[in-house]
């Protein structure tokens, strides 16, 4: 008798090719439910509807389709237990050799605007998880596929093992099935719990060589069932990504996401930007960012918001870099970068989307906050000095403010010509950060802009900035002594803008 495969999938990627191979190459019979059965039928493949196989129609508007002894008996039967086989024979139940199931898109559904509780509830799959759990439990006797990415590997197993999937593959696929249902249940529980309970789970993508230091084991996990963010990136070349690479790449992504249209480049070291710039071309933007601090750029992480072209690739190969990421990479550019085979080159078409929350572990628990994704709006800024900014100064103030948001606090950024000139990061006092940024900027500070992620508690930093040639300052305000800083700015002929938003980054 032909083997039997049960196919019931929400994500139909690769379904037809898999089913055709099962039927034509390996002589499987197919049973399927609802839309999956129709998809197979439309493709000209022989398929029996689950309702016809079980003799029980779908009921309750499709809520009950596969919850039937003829389905779960065929899945759960142990082929080395005689009583199990007798039970199947007495109830006219066929053994099921393959279960292909993925679940209703619950997470995608609740992410849509305006989704109601009742709509979300209808996207909670019942039959799918039951089949996944049953077939994963019985991996000793059948195979389960819960991800289209497994289809080719399964077919390869059949071709290499005389039509059978190895026990090793079946066990690995069972684990993936349990992880899939665990992640799915967690998403439902988190949604229903709201703020009362926060759960976090992920599937390990790979073990990392080590964490921040060689004595710290580390691993990289993907959240959700669909790869997004760095899990969806394509590595074109280079060594495996390290823990520190990924942390720095995320810092670079957050900065580059601030600049949607104008070509922009940023170079990251230890999660802080050592150079960020805008240009008329992506090559110009990168060169400006590199020249902002060429010493620190050595061994840096580069993010670009436009595709890598040949001119930019040539510039990238002139120094040692750890990683480069861009939305895409031209073929000619890829050939040029291949000469530096150790540099990790990644493409990530969507560099703007990041996590909604940030999570930090502490002793006995963890902290969760909404990500700092607020978009700067200059119409909400307040000019508090007698001198008003010109249009050019306002654009420079906005650029400096966007970069400063992503520098470790206490953060000071000095910019000119949409390029960072000096960065003071992570100092214990703001005066220290001001001095570092101005010292790095040097003579270029004359006529430049200064941004501070937090307010100035005293007027000393304003006076220091003016003495170095700074002409305009942007800061959140909010100090009880704002008036002292404003007074000093007026005395010195500076522009001072208060944003009303703070951007501490710890």
């Amino acid at each position: 008798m032909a083997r039997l495969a049960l196919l019931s999938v929400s994500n139909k990627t690769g379904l037809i090719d898999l089913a055709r191979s099962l039927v034509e190459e390996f002589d499987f019979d197919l049973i399927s439910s609802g839309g999956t059965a129709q998809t197979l039928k439309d493709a000209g493949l022989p398929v029996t509807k689950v309702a016809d196989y079980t003799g029980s129609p779908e009921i309750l508007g499709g809520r009950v389709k596969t919850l039937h002894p003829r389905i779960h008996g065929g899945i759960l039967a142990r082929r080395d237990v005689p009583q199990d086989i007798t039970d199947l024979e007495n109830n006219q139940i066929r053994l099921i050799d393959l279960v292909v199931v993925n679940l209703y898109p619950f997470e995608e559904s609740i992410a849509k605007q305006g989704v109601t509780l009742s709509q979300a509830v209808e996207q909670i799959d019942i039959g799918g998880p039951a089949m996944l759990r049953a077939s994963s439990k019985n991996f000793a006797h059948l195979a389960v596929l819960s991800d289209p990415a497994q289809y080719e590997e399964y077919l390869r197993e059949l071709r290499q093992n005389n039509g059978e999937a190895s026990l090793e593959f079946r066990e690995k696929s069972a684990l993936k099935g349990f992880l899939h249902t665990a992640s799915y249940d967690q998403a439902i529980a988190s949604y229903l719990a709201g703020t009362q309970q926060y759960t976090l789970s992920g599937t390990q993508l790979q073990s990392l060589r080590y964490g921040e230091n060689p004595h710290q084991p580390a691993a990289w996990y993907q959240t959700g069932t669909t790869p997004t963010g760095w899990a969806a990136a394509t590595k074109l070349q280079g060594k495996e990504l390290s823990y520190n690479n990924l942390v720095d790449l995320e810092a670079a992504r957050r900065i580059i996401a601030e600049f949607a249209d104008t070509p922009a480049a940023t170079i990251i070291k230890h999660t802080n930007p050592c150079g960020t710039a805008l240009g008329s071309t992506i090559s110009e933007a990168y060169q400006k960012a590199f020249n902002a601090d060429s010493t620190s750029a050595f061994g840096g992480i580069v993010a670009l918001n436009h595709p890598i072209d040949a001119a930019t690739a040539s510039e990238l190969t002139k120094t040692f870099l750890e990683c480069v990421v861009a939305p895409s990479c031209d073929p000619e550019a890829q050939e040029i970068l291949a000469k530096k085979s150790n540099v990790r080159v990644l493409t990530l078409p969507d560099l703007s989307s990041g996590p909604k929350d940030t999570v930090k572990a502490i002793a006995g628990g963890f902290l969760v906050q909404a990500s700092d994704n607020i978009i700067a709006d200059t119409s909400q800024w307040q000019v508090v000095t007698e001198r008003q900014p010109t249009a050019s100064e306002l654009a420079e103030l906005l650029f400096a403010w966007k970069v400063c948001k992503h520098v470790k606090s206490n953060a000071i950024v000095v910019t000119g010509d949409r390029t960072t000139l000096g960065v003071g990061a992570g100092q214990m006092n703001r005066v220290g950060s001001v001095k570092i940024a101005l010292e790095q900027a040097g003579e270029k500070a004359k006529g430049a802009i200064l941004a501070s992620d937090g307010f100035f508690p005293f007027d000393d930093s304003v006076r220091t900035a003016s003495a170095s040639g700074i002409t305009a300052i942007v800061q959140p305000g909010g100090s009880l002594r704002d008036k002292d800083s404003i007074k000093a700015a007026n005395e010195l002929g500076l522009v001072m803008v208060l944003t009303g938003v703070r951007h501490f980054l710890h």
Side-chain angles (χ1 to χ4, degrees):
M1 181 179 292
R3 286 176 292 178
L4 186 60
L6 169 60
L7 289 72
S8 180
V9 294
S10 176
N11 178 0
K12 294 177 175 56
T13 302
L15 172 68
I16 300 303
D17 289 340
L18 171 66
R20 182 167 285 115
S21 293
L22 292 175
V23 171
E24 298 178 357
E25 194 174 347
F26 299 104
D27 196 31
F28 272 84
D29 288 340
L30 306 181
I31 57 174
S32 190
S33 62
T36 306
Q38 190 61 51
T39 299
L40 296 173
K41 183 179 179 182
D42 290 345
L45 291 165
V47 59
T48 301
K49 289 185 177 181
V50 165
D52 294 333
Y53 174 74
T54 62
S56 297
E58 295 183 8
I59 61 172
L60 308 182
R63 280 189 166 198
V64 178
K65 294 191 287 283
T66 57
L67 298 171
H68 193 281
R70 292 203 78 194
I71 297 298
H72 287 274
I75 291 173
L76 285 165
R78 294 159 294 185
R79 301 175 191 206
D80 55 356
V81 176
Q83 186 58 52
D84 283 8
I85 302 303
T86 299
D87 287 343
L88 295 190
E89 291 172 351
N90 290 341
N91 290 279
Q92 297 181 317
I93 297 174
R94 288 179 63 181
L95 289 164
I96 294 176
D97 295 273
L98 172 66
V99 174
V100 183
V101 174
N102 55 62
L103 309 178
Y104 293 169
F106 181 80
E107 289 180 277
E108 292 86 343
S109 297
I110 61 174
K112 295 176 181 176
Q113 288 284 353
V115 172
T116 65
L117 176 60
S118 61
Q119 290 171 329
V121 165
E122 288 308 312
Q123 289 301 314
I124 297 176
D125 202 328
I126 302 301
M131 289 187 291
L132 274 182
R133 287 177 58 81
S135 50
S136 295
K137 174 178 179 176
N138 206 26
F139 69 86
H141 301 284
L142 76 160
V144 56
L145 307 178
S146 56
D147 184 343
Q150 297 173 289
Y151 296 171
E152 276 303 316
E153 186 180 0
Y154 174 71
L155 293 173
R156 192 160 54 248
E157 282 276 322
L158 297 187
R159 291 168 185 140
Q160 293 174 351
N161 298 300
N162 197 29
E164 297 291 339
S166 66
L167 178 60
E168 180 184 10
F169 174 84
R170 299 199 305 272
E171 184 173 358
K172 181 177 68 173
S173 298
L175 172 60
K176 192 173 183 69
F178 281 124
L179 290 171
H180 190 21
T181 58
S183 175
Y184 193 76
D185 286 341
Q186 183 179 27
I188 296 167
S190 296
Y191 173 75
L192 295 176
T195 59
Q196 300 304 308
Q197 184 173 356
Y198 191 94
T199 54
L200 182 66
S201 71
T203 302
Q204 187 178 123
L205 289 179
Q206 65 182 76
S207 295
L208 301 174
R209 188 177 175 191
Y210 53 77
E212 288 180 304
N213 298 291
H215 61 274
Q216 296 172 266
W220 178 10
Y221 290 82
Q222 171 191 313
T223 55
T225 56
T226 302
T228 59
W230 297 109
T234 300
K235 184 161 73 72
L236 301 180
Q237 67 171 57
K239 297 181 289 187
E240 289 297 320
L241 292 167
S242 71
Y243 179 96
N244 290 334
N245 288 158
L246 288 160
V247 171
D248 283 336
L249 280 166
E250 177 60 13
R253 185 203 63 75
R254 290 196 299 264
I255 290 183
I256 216 67
E258 297 282 352
F259 307 104
D261 301 317
T262 305
T266 189
I267 306 173
I268 297 291
K269 287 293 286 291
H270 307 298
T271 72
N272 282 307
C274 54
T276 302
L278 306 184
S280 57
T281 65
I282 196 64
S283 177
E284 181 190 21
Y286 170 72
Q287 290 178 67
K288 289 169 68 177
F290 177 80
N291 292 332
D293 186 355
S294 57
T295 300
S296 297
F298 183 85
I301 306 289
V302 175
L304 310 168
N305 71 343
H306 279 47
I308 306 172
D309 55 22
T312 308
S314 295
E315 292 298 323
L316 290 166
T317 60
K318 291 180 180 179
T319 192
F320 168 66
L321 298 169
E322 286 280 352
C323 304
V324 177
V325 63
S328 61
C329 183
D330 296 348
E332 186 179 357
Q334 196 168 339
E335 289 183 16
I336 295 169
L337 290 167
K339 298 173 185 176
K340 293 275 189 174
S341 59
N342 284 336
V343 64
R344 303 160 178 89
V345 178
L346 296 92
T347 57
L348 181 58
D350 182 8
L351 283 161
S352 63
S353 297
K356 294 180 180 179
D357 300 324
T358 58
V359 182
K360 290 192 176 183
I362 61 172
F366 55 88
L367 307 175
V368 180
Q369 66 171 351
S371 295
D372 188 3
N373 293 328
I374 190 169
I375 299 173
D377 181 0
T378 56
S379 69
Q380 301 300 310
W381 291 3
Q382 181 183 9
V383 180
V384 292
T385 49
E386 296 167 1
R387 191 165 85 77
Q388 300 291 300
T390 64
S392 177
E393 284 177 321
L394 187 61
E396 192 72 47
L397 287 162
L398 178 60
F399 171 78
W401 182 245
K402 285 182 174 182
V403 176
C404 192
K405 171 182 176 181
H406 301 283
V407 176
K408 293 288 187 180
S409 188
N410 289 306
I412 298 292
V413 174
V414 175
T415 76
D417 188 28
R418 313 300 188 273
T419 306
T420 54
L421 306 174
V423 178
Q427 297 306 298
M428 285 63 73
N429 64 77
R430 199 158 297 278
V431 174
S433 289
V434 169
K435 289 180 178 178
I436 290 171
L438 291 172
E439 181 180 339
Q440 186 182 17
E443 290 298 309
K444 293 179 180 178
K446 290 183 171 58
I449 300 297
L450 182 145
S452 172
D453 68 338
F455 61 66
F456 294 114
F458 306 102
D459 67 0
D460 49 0
S461 291
V462 176
R463 296 185 182 281
T464 300
S466 178
S468 294
I470 295 296
T471 62
I473 293 174
V474 56
Q475 55 127 329
S479 170
L480 294 174
R481 303 185 65 167
D482 275 347
K483 61 183 184 300
D484 294 342
S485 295
I486 295 168
K487 180 181 178 183
N490 279 325
E491 287 178 8
L492 299 165
L494 304 181
V495 170
M496 181 172 285
V497 175
L498 305 185
T499 66
V501 176
R502 190 183 75 182
H503 286 304
F504 282 176
L505 178 62
H506 291 97

